Amino acid sequence: MSQAPFSGPRVVLVGPMGAGKSTVAELLAQHWEVDVRDTDRDIEAAEGRSISDIFVESGEEHFRALEVSAVADALASHTGVLALGGGAVLDPRTREALAGHRVAYLRVGLTETVKRVGLGTGRPLLLGNVRSRIKALLDERTPIYESVATVSVDTDDKSADDVAAEIREALS
């Protein structure tokens, strides 16, 4: 009996901070009885420090290099649910690596994002005017998220359970 070829993660979740990627990933993994993996957590474990500390101590460029590597490794080895950091899709190498994978974009509006992330504690890209910074990030990244997604789900005014159910239905 031959083994089926490795096909990568069951689904990869992308979207901005506050979209609910980590929470929805856990729910999907529980439903499908598979492992969940989060590339931000992978980076923190490998570096022995928080994402915020990496940004402050080593800079965003260093963090992004770690992120490209973490995403490539996870795509090559993980078969469960994979959640990517909000900026992971910025690198063209990551976008190219996502081609052929089932990618769910968790879309969230500006007002909801601001509510969910609060004053950005522990979020290094939100230093300064949080609302205007989030708007700039959403404006910059939304077309990129849309370009890599095989399915997009609006998360505003929905529970994480509803978002997970919508993703399961879209991928079935």
Side-chain angles (χ1 to χ4, degrees):
M1 179 177 222
S2 67
Q3 205 175 35
F6 173 77
S7 61
R10 182 103 181 227
V11 67
V12 180
L13 303 182
V14 300
M17 62 186 79
K21 297 180 299 288
S22 297
T23 303
V24 171
E26 289 286 346
L27 293 169
L28 290 170
Q30 287 171 13
H31 178 81
W32 287 324
E33 298 179 340
V34 297
D35 290 332
V36 65
R37 190 161 168 186
D38 182 312
T39 55
D40 279 352
R41 302 298 77 79
D42 289 352
I43 294 166
E44 288 178 332
E47 289 287 298
R49 54 191 174 147
S50 70
I51 300 295
S52 188
D53 285 347
I54 296 168
F55 264 80
V56 169
E57 296 165 7
S58 303
E60 182 176 1
E61 188 175 326
H62 177 72
F63 170 75
R64 295 297 175 202
L66 295 171
E67 188 172 51
V68 168
S69 177
V71 172
D73 178 61
L75 289 173
S77 64
H78 186 64
T79 58
V81 178
L82 178 62
L84 303 188
V89 298
L90 296 176
D91 194 286
R93 294 169 293 181
T94 295
R95 293 194 299 273
E96 187 177 315
L98 287 170
H101 290 280
R102 299 190 318 169
V103 178
Y105 164 37
L106 277 57
R107 185 182 298 115
V108 61
L110 175 61
T111 301
E112 192 65 26
T113 303
V114 171
K115 274 195 268 181
R116 293 178 187 181
V117 302
L119 296 177
T121 304
R123 303 213 186 239
L125 289 178
L126 294 185
L127 298 176
N129 182 325
V130 174
R131 187 177 180 85
S132 67
R133 193 66 192 114
I134 289 173
K135 182 180 183 331
L137 289 171
L138 290 175
D139 289 348
E140 171 193 12
R141 295 176 180 181
T142 295
I144 300 170
Y145 294 133
E146 290 171 344
S147 75
V148 300
T150 51
V151 61
S152 296
V153 177
D154 286 312
T155 66
D156 287 1
D157 302 318
K158 291 182 185 169
S159 71
D161 286 316
D162 289 343
V163 172
E166 223 175 295
I167 292 168
R168 288 194 313 269
E169 185 176 320
L171 297 178
S172 62

